[in-house]
Amino acid sequence: MFTHVVFSAGLVCYVARALGLPPAEAILLAAFAAVMQVAIDVLSHETVYTGSATLHRRTPFLHSPSGALLSAAVFTAVLAYVLRPDGHALPVLFASMLVASYSHLLLDLFTERGIYVRGKRVWRKRMFKYDNPLLNLVFTSIGIFLLIESLQPHP
């Protein structure tokens, strides 16, 4: 989860700055992206109890391309209601939430569980086990780098 939060926050902050937002607004969107990562996992994981084991697994609800689009749309609607941005900020808000939701799927693609496409788990790279320390370090470092880079003053 930590990797999802850091990578998504850094990527969203970087994209928001590239789209012309000032640093304070980009950081705010990065914070919303971090919250979205937690919401995606809380709302689309289930616990299954078997006779001898407890299994935690993803569901297709938000771990699919259509689910990512849905989560971005819902987060954008909620944030638009709460923040009441002007008309030109709404596309940037939606783009940022799309980046946040699809970055979650990107990271999940590299695990053995993959993501869902049309209700079936068919997309995965199978290259790494879930919670791989090296992969987590790489994506966490990328997120931190993007966050630092996006907050550098530009002429």
Side-chain angles (χ1 to χ4, degrees), residues 70-135:
L70 173 68
S71 65
V74 168
F75 253 75
T76 300
V78 169
L79 292 175
Y81 178 77
V82 171
L83 299 176
R84 306 232 187 253
D86 53 11
H88 75 278
L90 204 53
V92 174
L93 180 61
F94 183 60
S96 297
M97 294 303 100
L98 276 175
V99 168
S101 60
Y102 282 101
S103 72
H104 192 101
L105 293 185
L106 174 68
L107 295 183
D108 284 350
L109 270 175
F110 291 104
T111 66
E112 72 271 11
R113 295 178 185 158
I115 64 169
Y116 291 90
V117 176
R118 292 188 215 109
K120 297 180 181 177
R121 189 176 292 158
V122 293
W123 282 16
R124 60 182 157 237
K125 289 294 182 184
R126 295 185 200 179
M127 297 181 340
F128 301 98
K129 287 189 166 222
Y130 181 77
D131 216 14
N132 180 290
L134 178 61
L135 193 64

Side-chain angles (χ1 to χ4, degrees), residues 15 133 141:
V15 169
S141 299

Side-chain angles (χ1 to χ4, degrees), residues 32-72:
F32 291 138
V35 170
M36 178 186 253
Q37 300 308 306
V38 175
I40 288 171
D41 276 349
V42 167
L43 295 172
S44 66
H45 280 131
E46 65 183 3
T47 303
V48 178
Y49 300 100
T50 64
S52 61
T54 303
L55 305 172
H56 302 283
R57 63 182 182 195
R58 299 176 187 137
T59 64
F61 178 53
L62 297 177
H63 282 92
S64 64
S66 58
L69 181 61
L70 173 68
S71 65

